[in-house]
Each structure stands twice: as structure tokens, then as C-alpha cells.
Amino acid sequence: MDKRYEVFCLADRYFYETPDRLSAGRRAGANSGANSGASSDAFFEAAQRAVPEGWKTFVSGDWLHVNPVLPDGTPRPGRPAQGWKVHVSACLDNAEKAAAKVWDYCVPREIPFKFVPTAHALHLRNSKYAGRGSSGKFATVYPADEAELHTVLKELGELLEGEPGPYILTDLRWQDGPLYVRYGGFAQRYCVDEAAGGGTLVPAIEDPSGKLVPDRRDPAFHVPAWVTLPDFLAPQLAARNATTVADLPYRIEKALHFSNGGGVYVGTDTRSGEKVVLKEARPYAGLASDGADAVTRLEREKAALERLSGLGVAPEVRDWFTLGDHRFLVMDHVAGRTLNSFFARRHPLLAAEPDPAAVADYTRWALRIHGAVEEAVAAVHGRGVVFNDLHMFNIMVSPDESSVMLLDFEAAAHISEGRRQAIAHPGFVAPPDRRGFEVDRYALACLRLALFVPMTTLLVVDRGKAAHLAEVAAALFPLDRAFLDEAVEVIAGAEHGGEGSPVRVGGGAGAVASGGGAGAVANGGPGAAASGGGRVVRGGGASYVPVGPADWPRSRDSMARAIRASATPERDDRLFPGDIGQFADGGGLGVAHGAAGVLHALDLTGAGRYEAGEEWLLKHTAPPPRGTPLGFYDGLAGVAYVLERLGHTDRAVEVIARVLDEKWQRLGPDLHGGLAGLGLTLDHLARATGEAGLRERADEAARLLADALDGAVGGGPGGGGPGGDAAGGRRLTGDRAGLLHGATGPALLFLRLYEHSGDPALLDLAATALRQDLDRCVPDRHGALLVDEGFRTMPYLGAGSVGIGMVLDGWLAHRADEDFEAARAGIVAAASLRYYAQPGLFNGRAGMVLHLGRTTTPRLAPERLAAQIEALGWYAVPYQGHLAFPGEQMMRLSMDLATGTAGCLLALGAACGQPHDGPVGLPFLPPLRRPQGPAPTHGGRIKETHPQGN
């Protein structure tokens, strides 16, 4: 679970949104220095002040900036673009006072500053899963030089002395107060983060040579190599370094987890040699929804564990101490594996054709585990404790799988406290009407579904989805329907007792039907998921979704209506709701998460042009927002491509010119945001416009990639060369593989250029790049070929093996290769599994639909594609009566291409559309023409259709 997404769920029930939209009128109020219609307590008093003459305020993200300006409104000269900045830390209860003191200090001295203007925004910045690099930063002051820095620290430090606030991990603390310092940028400047690989633009500072380099904001104090720490800060650095774990009777060996509230570590008690777990809590940080900080929650966990001592269902407490203001709880180390980790190992649907015996065996195992969890929760309730945070990550299964233990009791409370749920996993969070033991009953009901179809995060969008998920589970596993129906009743709220109703064991949990749905899985084919694919009915006999994905073109039209209904052309930050990434890429413009990708899918699938959307895109590219990335899927190159495809060629040329004005040669090699995607765009625009300069830049991008590939292959131990990656050699794309971020992206550029030039060396380069990514692939226990990321294996289109297969198919249309053919067969198996965690194009089932509908793999059974199309309906959620799909993490709907409805639309259009509708596919990956005979062995070509200017 990616915790970044939770904060984007607060402002809207259906879509990921920036948290600041919770405060109506905030932007207008902040810009004017007045409240402008918002409630009087929405903003701190300082945020409602009218600025004096010669000052200007504006909002950027969470910040209200307050700057001295010239009469024409431009910033006053003489202030540096970077240097030592002062951060003020504050808590919810002293932030109003701190803001007033910062204002009163800085304005008379004409020092620019900014602060967080609302308590709600400050709460979010300090919440448990907020970014550790920004936590605690309530206000920022920008001194002109080191002398003014020292003065501000002394004088403002005296004014704020004794005020509490979270420790700012990126900074150096000034004495014992709430002031912290860090060297960084004052002005908004950006550069390409070369170290990360890829084309991401990040905040930048300038080194002594004038080069822009990343302004590091990781959660550790860092001084750039060319900057000298001022002498007056040396004692502060010494004090920071004086706090160590050297004197503890514990040897910390590994960090298990970090959050804004602290860390969890595995260690050894040096006195006994026994393994322990140490849990750290930072004061005033890691706030829960009830305002409790990490220390308060750790105190609650200690109290709960002590109350449960001796039951054998929770860790025993060993120690409790403070180190450097941080509180630590030491517990017994619990052996085993968390329940979520068993899904990849045991779940039978992670195969193209699940074995009926494996399905039945898993069903028995899952029911037994659920029964054990029920018994553990009942024991906790027997001591009067409400767990309040039951989910798969907090359930430890013993090494012999005979018992379970419950972990992480920081949300637990005694039933007498009547405390509401303040922290919970999104897939198990109870509705507000559940209190006390009913919260745990709700989570146990979700667990009944999640053990078989782990998609309960969809319940936060629509609790009615529970009946649909139950239908899916019943179609796939031999379950007694009463087991599922009871879960649906609890989730829907038809029957629940009250706070005094602890869990009791034995309510149908062990029943396995004598018949059931296992045969549907075993038989395969398009009917395998029939009852869960969008035609499922719930109460009253009405279909859960208005149309099944396979019902084309009705499904196309329904998805298009959902997309248009969600559009907000009146907004500047985005047009269509999508992934949270759209709020970080310069204004929701791009192909992956922004307007360009959605408009492309609507047009290509025959769903109709969306003129208001095109007008929005034209408006917001004249000029594009500052900081918009340069690449294809994340930024301006992709926008230029879509604009040209939609007929806006002049604007496309203007946008690509902006890219070429930047230092684009420093981009990473990949397709998503790097040289491969830019090279493909330049090649397309060169042929569309006849511009020789664009052709030269496309060739330059290819040369840069060819040189990098040659260095990667030849520069490592063992040599290498075309046709293979040297064992132990460097890789073109570092540790990443796949279509978007791996060497497959450059392979696609070489392949397309070969088709235009006929130069066989380009086809050789494509093969070399493909083999680099295939070297990262491993077969699973069923023979499916997957990308091995070290801690997991990935089949997906974006970062998995299926994306490699998309380009392999194109390469094999030109030349035969036994190794590539074998890999292609394994990749088709990876695209045919019965379960995928999400529906999206780049990271879910829609990518499998696209690949199976496009591949020329011999002997591909058409039933596999039909089954994947049908199973897309598992994830569907109606939006305003239309067919829609959730995005990444499945906590909100998405309309974008990479993660949401537009991507599903594109995949279904490619698989279901008729020839007269026109070819549909991803940019630079058009539909393949089926070969009529064997591919030539070398140099010849089997022509593909290239409807997208490829």
C-alpha cells in the first residue's frame, strides 16, 4: 500500500484530490490577504491580514507566501536565489501564535517568508504518512545572507523560545527551540535528476560552476559539498551528532518500516541474545485523525499490550525508554510472515489455468486462517480491548501456519473509552457508524472477501461493491455462500449489534461448499468469470454496473460519458481526475496522468472528440506551467505528440521547441520521461511536418542512446556486445526494466527508426536493449515470465514483462530469434493470469487485454483474451450511472490513461473494436499485421500498420 495516496482521499469521495480543496475559498482568501467568504476559523489570523503597501501574497501548494515587491509587483532585487533558510516548526495548538510572531518579525524587517495558513493543512503535513522531508515545516524565512541568518535565529528564536513543534528531519535545529536551518533554493528552479534515471524535473540549486543540481530534501541534514557550515551552527551540528544508540542494550540490525511518526526496527538484546522489535515515536509528529501524535499512540500501544499480556495473540512488552526526545517501545520479536505476504506464495489465481485441487486447497487454508484470526480478535475483545486496525499487514502467521498473532496496537483502545477509529488500512476502514467491537467485526468481514479477492479498498468508494466482490469470490472458489453473505451484511450495515458485541467464533467460517465456483476457474474460457464480470446483480435485481466491458461499443460509450461527466474545464490544475501524479507534473497536461492521454484515448477509440478538453489543453500550453517535465508520458513531448495527432500542429511545434530549448540531452534513457520517448516524438513530428531540424534532433537522441547502450554492454566485467548483456555489466537503465523505465523503451525507438531507414544496425541495437531487460526476467512456478525486481516479480505493461513483450512482437515481425520466441510465449502466460491486483493499463489487467489483443504469438487461445476482458468488470464502479474504473491503489476512481478509465477504454478499443473503426493502440505501438508465413531470418521486413505516425 502506497501511503502517499491516503491524504489525496480526503477532499473528494470519488477522485484523488489535493487536500487544500477541502477549504472552500482558501485560494481567493489567501491571495487577497482576507478570508473572502471562508469561515472565520478556516485561516489563521495572520493569513487573514491585509498586507501593507509594497507587499504581495500568493498561494503555492500548502504555502501562503508573503513577499516585499516593487511598485510593479515584481520581487525586490537583492535577494539571493538560494542560501540558508530558516524553518519554524509548530503544533496545531501553537501555530496561530507562531504565524503571528513570524509576520510581526519579518514584515517590519522586509524579510520574505511563507507559512501554512490553516490548521487542517498543517495537520496533513504532520500526519503519520506525510512526507518525512516536509514534516514539521510550518513557516519558512529567507534571510539575505549569513549575517541576517544569524540575526534571525537569535531574535526570532528568542521570540519563539519554548514553543513545541515536530523535529524537522531535513534540517539542523537551532538550540532547543522550534527553529531549524537548511541550505537550499529560495527561487523556483528545476533540473533533471540524472542520478534517479529518467526525465523527472526536481527543485534545483546552482553549484559554483553555474550548473543546476538537485536540491536534496531527503530526511537527513545535508550540506552541499561547496557550502561551508557557518561557525555559529557548528555547536548545533555537534549537539545533533551527540545522540547515538551506542549506549543502548540493543543492537539495531534492520529497519522494517518508516513513517512520519518514527521507525520500526529489528534488533538483538545484547544481554540475552534474543531478537526484539523496537518501535520509535517522534513527539508532535505522525498525527492521527484524532490529533494524537506518535508518542501518544505508542503509549496507547504499550497500555493495550500490557492488558493483553499472556494471551499469546500479541507481542509481550520488554522495555520502554526515551532517547533524544524520541520514545521507544521494545517488544518480543514475533516469528512468521504477515498474512499479506502469503498471497503471492499461495493464491491459486496467479496462474493462467488454476488447478482445481489448488483452488480447493487454498480455500481450506484461507478459511482456517480466517478462523484463527477470529479467535485472536475474540481473545482481544475478551480483555475489553478494541483492536481498531485489523488488516492483512497486521496479522502474523506462524512459521508452521498453525496460529496467528496480531501486530501494531497503536490504534487499540479499551471498550470503555469509546474512542473512534483514527488510523486504519483503507481496505478495512469501518464507516463512521461503527464503534467499539463493531469496528473489528467490520474488518473481519472485509477479511472474508480480501482473502479471496483482495480488492476491498474499493469499498471506500462504494460499500455496495461488497456484494459484487462476493459474487466474484463465489464464482472462483468453492465457498459456502453464507460465509460471503454474512460478510456483505456486516459491510452493508444491514445487521450489526453495538459497542457491547464482541466477536464470537464459529459463525460459518469453516464451511466449504461441496460444489461451487472452482470449476469455473478450472474450465477456463470466457465464462470463467462470468458472474463477476459486470453482469452480476445485487439487491433488487439491478446490475451493479450499467454495462459489461465486453459489450462493445456500449461499454465504450458508457466510459466516454463517465470521462466527460468528470471533466472540470474550469480548473487550472487538471482537466480530468486521475492519479495523484497529475498534481506534480505541472498541471495535469501529460499523456500518462493528464489531459493529453485522455483526449488521445477518446479520439482513437471512436468515442468522439472532446472540444472543450482540447481548448483546455491549448489554453494551458500557452505557455505550459513552469516545471512541467519534458518527457513523453510525464510531460511536454507527449503533449506535443497528442496535439499534432488532434490536428493542432502549430501548437505541437511550439511545445516541442520549448523542450529543445532545455538541456534535453541530459534526460535519462527511458520511454516514460527520457530520451527514448523524446526521440520517438521528434521522429513522429519530423515526418508529420517535414522539419529537418526535428529529424536531426531525433537522430541525435538515438545516437545518445546507442552510445549509452554500447557503454553499458561493453563497459562491465566479461565484455558483451550486440545480442546480449554481459553478466555483471552495467545496464542502460540501471536497476529498472520494462517498457516505461527499462531498456525496452530505447529498443522501441531503435525498432521504429529501423523501419523507417532499413539500417539493420538499428535492429541489432533493439535486440541488445531487449536482452538487457529479458535478463531481468524469471519464470514463475507456472512458467509465466516476469520481471524480477528483487523483492517481487512483475507482469505488467509499464514495469513488467508484458511491456517487453509488446516490443518483442514488433521485433519478431522483422527477424526470427528462438530465444525471443520462447520469451514471448512466457510473457503471454504472464498476461493470462486469472488475477491482477488492479485494472489499470500500465499496472493492471487492462495492459493484459491490450497485449493479448495485439500479440502475434502463435497458438494463442482466444479464450484467454475473452477471460481478461470479462474480468475487467471485477473492478468496475459506476460513476453517475456510467462505467468507470478505479486508479492506482483502488481507493478512488481515475479517468487517466495510465491508471484509470481512459486506459481501460484504450485497451478494450484495441481488443474489441472492428477493423472499420480504425486501428487502436498505444503511441508508437500500433496494432500488428498478422504474418501470413514465417518471419525472414535476417534483414527482411514484415510490414506493420502504423496509423499513429510511428
Side-chain angles (χ1 to χ4, degrees):
M1 178 62 63
D2 188 334
K3 297 296 184 180
R4 296 176 303 156
Y5 283 78
E6 292 187 23
V7 71
F8 289 88
C9 293
L10 298 174
D12 192 275
R13 175 182 173 185
Y14 291 105
F15 302 115
Y16 293 121
E17 271 288 7
T18 53
D20 61 292
R21 296 190 70 85
L22 279 168
S23 300
R26 170 190 168 189
R27 193 171 303 275
N31 277 328
S32 66
N35 200 12
S36 299
S39 60
S40 61
D41 61 350
F43 298 91
F44 295 129
E45 179 273 333
Q48 301 180 58
R49 296 181 183 180
V51 293
E53 185 177 355
W55 286 76
K56 177 182 178 181
T57 64
F58 67 94
V59 168
S60 175
D62 291 339
W63 296 105
L64 173 62
H65 296 251
V66 188
N67 291 344
V69 294
L70 296 173
D72 63 359
T74 60
R76 293 187 193 177
R79 287 283 165 179
Q82 63 191 52
W84 291 97
K85 60 179 71 175
V86 177
H87 284 124
V88 181
S89 177
C91 301
L92 297 178
D93 56 2
N94 68 344
E96 179 123 35
K97 177 169 60 176
K101 289 187 175 182
V102 170
W103 182 294
D104 293 341
Y105 179 81
C106 290
V107 170
R109 294 164 177 80
E110 298 188 344
I111 303 174
F113 65 99
K114 66 181 180 181
F115 65 99
V116 179
T118 68
H120 180 75
L122 180 61
H123 188 177
L124 294 179
R125 292 183 71 86
N126 290 338
S127 64
K128 181 175 180 180
Y129 290 107
R132 298 171 69 223
S134 59
S135 174
K137 297 175 182 177
F138 169 63
T140 308
V141 179
Y142 299 98
D145 50 35
E146 289 187 7
E148 189 168 67
L149 168 70
H150 198 187
T151 300
V152 169
L153 289 172
K154 290 187 295 184
E155 294 178 351
L156 187 58
E158 184 176 339
L159 291 172
L160 294 171
E161 184 176 2
E163 295 293 342
Y167 196 100
I168 299 176
L169 298 174
T170 59
D171 289 27
L172 183 63
R173 188 177 189 180
W174 174 253
Q175 298 179 353
D176 295 324
L179 300 190
Y180 295 78
V181 293
R182 183 181 80 85
Y183 189 95
F186 293 3
Q188 290 188 352
R189 297 189 290 179
Y190 299 89
C191 71
V192 175
D193 188 355
E194 299 175 33
T200 303
L201 287 181
V202 297
I205 53 177
E206 188 176 313
D207 70 11
S209 71
K211 178 183 177 182
L212 291 178
V213 297
D215 184 2
R216 287 179 51 183
R217 300 180 181 186
D218 44 309
F221 179 61
H222 164 78
V223 181
W226 67 89
V227 175
T228 301
L229 187 78
D231 290 341
F232 56 84
L233 293 179
Q236 323 306 321
L237 182 60
R240 178 188 177 103
N241 294 337
T243 301
T244 71
V245 297
D247 296 331
L248 293 178
Y250 306 104
R251 183 174 62 252
I252 296 177
E253 294 159 352
K254 183 173 66 173
L256 297 178
H257 171 70
F258 283 110
S259 74
N260 188 30
V264 181
Y265 312 90
V266 170
T268 298
D269 189 326
T270 56
R271 298 162 297 187
S272 66
E274 295 176 306
K275 268 193 168 184
V276 294
V277 170
L278 297 90
K279 192 166 185 179
E280 171 195 27
R282 300 175 54 219
Y284 313 116
L287 304 181
S289 62
D290 63 354
D293 70 353
V295 171
T296 299
R297 293 198 312 278
L298 197 62
E299 290 170 344
R300 293 173 179 174
E301 179 162 16
K302 176 176 177 286
L305 292 178
E306 289 174 341
R307 188 179 292 272
L308 300 174
S309 179
L311 280 179
V313 298
E316 297 288 339
V317 173
R318 282 176 171 259
D319 200 356
W320 177 252
F321 63 88
T322 300
L323 178 67
D325 293 334
H326 292 202
R327 193 65 56 85
F328 286 83
L329 173 65
V330 185
M331 300 168 283
D332 282 345
H333 178 267
V334 178
R337 298 168 63 96
T338 54
L339 182 54
N340 67 290
S341 70
F342 281 86
F343 188 81
R345 293 179 57 202
R346 275 191 170 272
H347 205 284
L349 299 191
L350 299 179
E353 297 179 1
D355 178 7
V359 173
D361 179 66
Y362 176 82
T363 303
R364 287 188 291 270
W365 178 86
L367 291 170
R368 179 168 56 80
I369 291 296
H370 188 275
V373 175
E374 278 193 324
E375 290 179 358
V377 172
V380 170
H381 289 182
R383 295 278 177 94
V385 174
V386 182
F387 190 15
N388 267 332
D389 193 17
L390 180 69
H391 57 81
M392 286 191 177
F393 291 80
N394 283 351
I395 299 166
M396 182 72 80
V397 181
S398 65
D400 63 0
E401 301 179 21
S402 64
S403 62
V404 301
M405 294 269 279
L406 305 180
L407 309 175
D408 199 355
F409 281 78
E410 66 179 46
H414 192 268
I415 186 67
S416 62
E417 297 180 43
R419 194 184 317 137
R420 301 191 64 169
Q421 194 174 26
I423 290 178
H425 185 285
F428 294 79
V429 62
D433 63 331
R434 313 303 167 89
R435 303 292 291 272
F437 296 133
E438 291 303 309
V439 170
D440 293 344
R441 285 194 66 207
Y442 183 92
L444 283 168
C446 291
L447 185 62
R448 291 192 182 198
L449 299 178
L451 280 166
F452 299 97
V453 282
M455 296 156 54
T456 54
T457 50
L458 293 174
L459 301 179
V460 302
V461 181
D462 180 11
R463 280 165 57 196
K465 185 71 178 178
H468 191 188
L469 295 179
E471 293 286 348
V472 174
L476 298 171
F477 294 91
L479 288 163
D480 186 335
R481 278 307 302 260
F483 177 79
L484 298 170
D485 291 343
E486 290 170 9
V488 172
E489 286 181 1
V490 171
I491 292 168
E495 295 180 10
H496 58 277
E499 288 193 348
S501 303
V503 166
R504 289 177 172 80
V505 187
V512 181
S514 57
V521 175
N523 293 335
S531 63
R535 300 192 301 274
V536 64
V537 297
R538 59 176 178 172
S543 295
Y544 177 70
V545 291
V547 58
D551 191 0
W552 188 271
R554 289 183 63 232
S555 59
R556 175 196 65 191
D557 297 340
S558 186
M559 285 183 280
R561 286 192 292 269
I563 289 170
R564 289 187 173 91
S566 73
T568 53
E570 71 279 3
R571 287 175 57 165
D572 289 324
D573 58 337
R574 61 108 161 126
L575 174 59
F576 300 105
D579 189 72
I580 66 172
Q582 67 181 187
F583 299 115
D585 71 356
L589 304 182
V591 174
H593 303 309
V598 180
L599 295 173
H600 180 67
L602 289 171
D603 176 53
L604 203 61
T605 57
R609 297 277 287 268
Y610 180 44
E611 292 185 4
E614 292 181 35
E615 291 172 2
W616 186 96
L617 189 59
L618 289 169
K619 174 185 175 183
H620 288 83
T621 51
R626 189 173 183 179
T628 304
L630 307 180
F632 185 84
Y633 278 108
D634 65 348
L636 296 180
V639 173
Y641 171 88
V642 171
L643 285 170
E644 192 283 326
R645 293 277 303 156
L646 294 172
H648 307 294
T649 304
D650 290 345
R651 177 57 53 78
V653 172
E654 291 175 13
V655 171
I656 204 66
R658 288 183 173 274
V659 175
L660 296 177
D661 283 342
E662 302 290 336
K663 296 178 180 179
W664 61 269
Q665 295 90 341
R666 295 180 179 176
L667 293 173
D670 62 274
L671 175 64
H672 184 268
L675 286 172
L678 179 56
L680 285 160
T681 306
L682 292 167
D683 173 64
H684 168 81
L685 292 176
R687 287 182 294 106
T689 65
E691 291 283 344
L694 296 177
R695 162 59 49 213
E696 291 171 1
R697 299 288 78 75
D699 291 342
E700 183 181 356
R703 285 195 301 273
L704 289 169
L705 286 170
D707 291 344
L709 181 61
D710 181 63
V713 172
D725 187 15
R730 294 185 297 112
R731 286 176 43 80
L732 177 63
T733 53
D735 292 333
R736 307 192 76 172
L739 177 66
L740 295 184
H741 300 286
T744 298
L748 179 60
L749 174 60
F750 295 137
L751 177 62
R752 293 293 169 243
L753 293 180
Y754 162 74
E755 290 166 348
H756 304 146
S757 70
D759 182 356
L762 289 165
L763 199 58
D764 292 339
L765 285 168
T768 301
L770 284 168
R771 285 193 169 93
Q772 281 208 354
D773 273 3
L774 288 173
D775 284 346
R776 290 290 307 275
C777 294
V778 296
D780 71 0
R781 63 184 185 271
H782 302 292
L785 195 66
L786 310 168
V787 168
D788 183 4
E789 294 188 340
F791 63 100
R792 63 181 178 181
T793 54
M794 296 287 281
Y796 297 116
L797 176 62
S801 57
V802 165
I804 303 171
M806 294 280 283
V807 180
L808 268 182
D809 274 326
W811 193 96
L812 286 166
H814 302 290
R815 187 182 296 172
D817 186 287
E818 291 183 1
D819 291 338
F820 282 2
E821 287 287 2
R824 179 161 69 158
I827 291 170
V828 163
S832 306
L833 308 183
R834 296 300 297 124
Y835 177 78
Y836 299 98
Q838 300 182 132
L841 185 63
F842 287 164
N843 200 27
R845 194 181 293 272
M848 311 305 159
V849 171
L850 180 64
H851 181 54
L852 293 178
R854 176 182 184 272
T855 183
T856 55
T857 304
R859 298 178 298 280
L860 174 63
E863 291 84 1
R864 292 194 175 190
L865 173 59
Q868 295 297 347
I869 292 172
E870 189 76 24
L872 260 182
W874 296 0
Y875 317 86
V877 176
Y879 175 69
Q880 295 191 14
H882 311 305
L883 180 62
F885 290 90
E888 194 77 12
Q889 307 298 307
M890 296 206 301
M891 292 187 284
R892 291 294 185 268
L893 302 181
S894 169
M895 298 299 170
D896 71 26
L897 183 76
T899 70
T901 306
C904 294
L905 172 65
L906 184 82
L908 290 167
C912 301
Q914 299 302 312
H916 58 76
D917 295 331
V920 179
L922 274 178
F924 319 117
L925 283 165
L928 294 167
R929 178 172 294 174
R930 309 291 176 176
Q932 301 301 311
T937 58
H938 187 82
R941 293 176 61 190
I942 296 176
K943 184 172 177 59
E944 299 178 52
T945 56
H946 298 293
Q948 299 170 52
N950 298 304

